[in-house]
Each structure stands twice: as C-alpha cells, then as structure tokens.
C-alpha cells in the first residue's frame, strides 16, 4: 500500500468562524487582493474588517466561471497593486480564480504556459502568494484542492492549472455563509459535492483516508441536501452540506474523479451551463455506464462492490445494490428540479465532439475502467435526455 494525502496547511470549520478571517489574513500580508463574485455587498464587511486589522484591500470581482481573460486580468491587478496575499470569498469559481491568481502572480509567462491538456503544462516554479479560501457555497471543495479550473474559450473546454503550491494556506469553512443560497444553487452545488464523494470512492486511486471521508460524508449529503433545498435556513442541513463539500474536496484532491468530471469539463467549456448542474445530469448515467462496462469486461473488479457500498450509503438500505444507487440518484435529481443537458443545448450532433475531448480529460484517468467512445456516447445521450 502506498498513497499520499495533501491538503491546505490549515482548515478552520464551524458556524461563526468567518469572524476570524481578518486576523488570519493580517498574519499573511498587508496588501490583500480580495476576490469576490459579481455582487460587491458580501465583500464589504470583510474589506472593512481587513482595514481595521491594518490591511489594505484591493477588490477583484469574478462575474462568471473563470476563463483565461479573467485570470489574466486578476494577475495584472495583483501585480500592479503589489498585493502580498489573496483571499477569495465566494463559490467554487471565485475560489478557483483566487487560487490561480495567487499562483500566477509570482510566476512569469502566460496562463496557457501552465495549463494541462491544452496548454504547455509547465510547473509553477515560484511560491504562490499566501492564499485564504472562504467558500460561500457547499459544492466544489475548491478550498482544499490543488487545482484551479479555467475555461479556454478558443478550445471550448475547461482545464486545470494544477500544482501543490496552489493549496491554500488556510481554508475557512463557515456553514452560515450558505444560508442565503437559492434552492437551485443549493441543489446544483450540493449535487457536485455528492458527485465528488462518489467518484473518488470508486476511483482507481482510492485510498483508506479518502475512503473514510467518502463513507462518512455520502450519507450525510444524501439526507441533508433535500432539507437544505427545501428550507434554506436549516442550519443543521447547511452544516452537514458544508462538511460534505469539504470532504469531497479532500477526497478528489487525493483520489481523483472519473467519467462525470471528465465529461463535465468539456461540456462546461462548450455550453453556458453551471458545473454542478452538469455533474448532476451526468451522475446516474455515468454510474450505469461504468457498471455495464465493469460487468462486461472486468466482472471481478473491486469497484463493483464499491458501487454496492455507494447504494447502501445513499439509500440507507442494507440490502441495496449498485443499480438501486443509480435509481436513487435519478429520483433525487428529478426531485430537485435539475434539468437534462438538452436544456443547455447538448444535442445529438454535438456528442461526438464532446466524446473526443472527454477521452483526453485528466479526470478520466481515475475512472475505475477505461470507457470507449460508444460508452461515453451513451453517458452523454442519457444525460441529454434526462436519465
């Protein structure tokens, strides 16, 4: 047995911990780039608190999932303003942007020099600016991962900037920050977290530490997500989902993902669709196709037993089997109102191009079995039609 486990230098979790952010940041720098979403209001109390702690705040707003242009603009601002630390307050897109800016601000060259798959894949040589991640959604787990997902419009794909140096100095998770999320955003981000717990558990790179995290968090997410969507101010449900999202980031960063994220990265770069909703639509089709491929070509593969485990964790039924898990996921996605991918423009004519790119995606490397073009086509066909 050999594995590695890496994460943020420090993790702070709990309701009310947001109040600790200014003191944490003040210990890392005095001129701070504050990366936020499109709305400035959530960042204003933080900026005021940073000023009271003796830090000058320079705001950078991220209005969409980050692409090359967004990251280039953020890096330029961080350099011009001579920022010596970065804090990101927002969802996964904001945290990914902050992470990338912190890493690239100290390294010369273009963003594409460092991107995998479509870029040159060069390593970051210089240490990143100290980075603090403060998620306001319970979804991506980006606060504890070593990659930043960046859109490349010319290639119609989203790929990663990846380096151990991108791991945050501090990941601070305050479940109360998600209390204002809409049901739709709660559903899409929460289903992303659930996907990121299931894929690492059946991954070719699963290990005992990630297994423990996934087994602990999958049933919590399965019970809490419907409650958080139905009652947005349910603090217990928000805390459970914040933990599930954190666990999902820890798991994916150390065990990898699979077919769902392999396809989602391509679809996210090709269509105007939220990442979590794309993952939700792909999750049950991806599970069914993996099961079919494993049963046909690797009937003794341990992942088949792991899918049975997933079904029991999801349903709470000790007699549940893998197919029951896929059916349960179909029902949950329908219950939460997440649309099929045809809603975002995925039609039959687009599928071959998506398949070609998805087969090269880095996430595919950890899928429990290599899927062929016909099998990937089936995943996308089901996701486009809704199951």
């Amino acid at each position: 047995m050999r594995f590695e486990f890496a994460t943020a230098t420090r993790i702070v979790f709990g309701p009310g911990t947001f109040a600790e952010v200014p003191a944490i940041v003040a210990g890392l720098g005095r001129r701070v780039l504050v990366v936020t979403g499109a709305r400035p209001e959530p960042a204003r109390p933080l900026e005021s608190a940073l000023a009271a702690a003796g830090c000058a705040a320079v705001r950078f707003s991220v209005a969409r999932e980050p692409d090359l242009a967004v990251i280039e603009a953020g890096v330029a601002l961080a350099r011009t303003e001579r920022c010596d630390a970065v804090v990101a307050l927002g969802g996964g897109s904001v945290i990914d942007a902050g992470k990338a800016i912190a890493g690239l601000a100290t390294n010369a060259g273009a963003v594409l020099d460092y991107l995998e798959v479509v870029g040159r894949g060069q390593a970051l040589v210089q240490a990143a600016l100290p980075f603090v991640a403060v998620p306001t959604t319970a979804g991506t787990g980006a606060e504890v991962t070593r990659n930043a997902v960046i859109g490349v419009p010319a290639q119609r794909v989203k790929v990663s900037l990846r380096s151990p140096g991108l791991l945050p100095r501090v990941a601070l998770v305050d479940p109360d920050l998600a209390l204002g999320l809409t049901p739709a955003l709660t559903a899409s981000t929460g289903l992303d977290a659930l996907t990121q717990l299931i894929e690492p558990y059946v991954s070719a790179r699963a290990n005992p530490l990630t297994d423990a995290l996934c087994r602990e968090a999958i049933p919590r997410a399965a019970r809490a997500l419907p409650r958080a969507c139905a009652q947005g101010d349910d603090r217990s449900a928000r805390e459970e989902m914040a933990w599930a999202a954190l666990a999902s980031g820890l798991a994916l960063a150390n065990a990898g993902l699979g077919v769902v994220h392999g396809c989602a990265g391509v679809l996210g770069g090709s269509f105007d669709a939220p990442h979590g909703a794309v993952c939700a639509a792909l999750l049950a089709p991806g599970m069914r196709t993996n099961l079919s491929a494993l049963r046909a070509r690797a009937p003794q593969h341990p992942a088949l037993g792991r899918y049975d485990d997933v079904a029991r964790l999801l349903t709470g039924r000790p007699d549940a089997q893998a197919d029951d898990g896929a059916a349960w996921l179909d029902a949950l996605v329908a219950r939460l109102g997440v649309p099929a991918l045809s809603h975002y423009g995925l039609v039959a004519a687009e599928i071959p191009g998506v398949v070609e790119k998805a087969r090269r995606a880095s996430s595919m490397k950890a899928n429990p079995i290599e899927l062929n073009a016909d099998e990937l086509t089936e995943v996308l066909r089901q996701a486009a039609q809704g199951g």
Side-chain angles (χ1 to χ4, degrees):
M1 183 187 301
R2 184 195 183 282
F3 62 88
E4 297 182 18
F5 193 94
T7 190
T9 303
R10 179 184 176 197
I11 298 172
V12 180
F13 183 100
T17 53
F18 181 62
E20 300 174 32
V21 174
I24 289 171
V25 174
L28 298 173
R30 280 290 179 258
R31 193 160 183 81
V32 183
L33 186 73
V34 178
V35 183
T36 70
R39 294 173 53 248
E41 291 80 7
R44 285 174 179 154
L46 174 58
E47 291 168 348
S48 298
L50 286 171
C55 297
V58 178
R59 185 190 305 162
F60 180 71
S61 296
V62 178
R64 61 182 189 272
E65 292 186 351
D67 57 20
L68 293 177
V70 169
I71 301 304
E72 288 165 355
V75 169
L77 181 63
R79 289 173 177 168
T80 300
E81 295 291 337
R82 298 184 179 180
C83 294
D84 54 6
V86 179
V87 57
L89 173 68
S93 294
V94 171
I95 292 175
D96 274 353
K99 201 184 303 183
I101 293 165
L104 292 169
T106 56
N107 285 271
V111 180
L112 273 172
D113 290 338
Y114 302 98
L115 292 188
E116 62 186 24
V117 182
V118 300
R120 298 178 182 88
Q122 295 177 6
L124 295 176
V125 177
Q126 303 299 323
L129 293 176
F131 175 58
V132 177
V134 186
T136 59
T137 64
T140 67
E143 64 272 16
V144 287
T145 62
R146 69 188 93 190
N147 70 302
V149 180
I150 299 171
V152 184
Q155 302 280 351
R156 297 184 70 197
V157 71
K158 292 194 299 185
V159 296
S160 283
L161 169 68
R162 194 181 305 272
S163 170
L166 295 184
L167 286 165
R169 293 284 187 92
V170 181
L172 186 141
V173 183
D174 184 340
D176 288 350
L177 296 179
L179 288 172
L181 289 186
T182 64
L185 190 54
T186 299
S188 65
T189 55
L191 286 164
D192 186 25
L194 190 56
T195 303
Q196 293 171 175
L197 292 166
I198 293 172
E199 288 203 296
Y201 188 71
V202 300
S203 161
R205 300 203 295 263
N207 67 64
L209 279 172
T210 58
D211 286 351
L213 288 163
C214 296
R215 283 194 297 264
E216 167 74 14
I218 288 172
R220 290 189 182 219
R223 310 295 166 259
L225 181 54
R227 288 166 40 214
C229 291
Q231 193 69 41
D233 60 355
D234 184 330
R235 302 179 88 94
S236 173
R238 292 297 187 189
E239 185 168 330
E240 293 283 85
M241 288 309 303
W243 158 242
L246 175 63
S248 81
L250 294 167
L252 79 87
N254 291 283
L257 291 163
V259 61
V260 173
H261 279 80
C263 291
V266 179
L267 291 165
S270 303
F271 302 95
D272 185 15
H275 173 73
V278 172
C279 289
L282 289 163
L283 183 52
M287 182 182 293
R288 281 192 291 269
T289 302
N290 270 344
L291 287 169
S292 177
L294 288 163
R295 288 164 178 163
R297 302 201 297 279
Q300 303 304 314
H301 199 291
L304 286 168
R306 286 175 171 262
Y307 273 122
D308 289 336
D309 294 343
V310 168
R312 290 188 279 270
L313 292 167
L314 289 172
T315 66
R317 288 171 33 210
D319 62 337
Q321 296 183 335
D323 293 314
D324 300 317
W328 188 94
L329 289 168
D330 274 331
L332 177 65
V333 169
R335 175 182 174 185
L336 298 184
V338 180
L341 294 184
S342 58
H343 174 80
Y344 299 108
L346 180 63
V347 296
E350 296 273 4
I351 289 177
V354 175
V355 167
E356 181 183 355
K357 292 179 180 179
R359 295 187 76 179
R360 302 196 301 267
S362 59
S363 291
M364 287 293 188
K365 296 175 183 176
N367 201 59
I369 189 169
E370 184 176 353
L371 298 179
N372 60 39
D374 288 342
E375 289 162 340
L376 289 173
T377 298
E378 180 61 16
V379 173
L380 292 160
R381 184 195 66 78
Q382 290 184 34
Q385 296 177 355

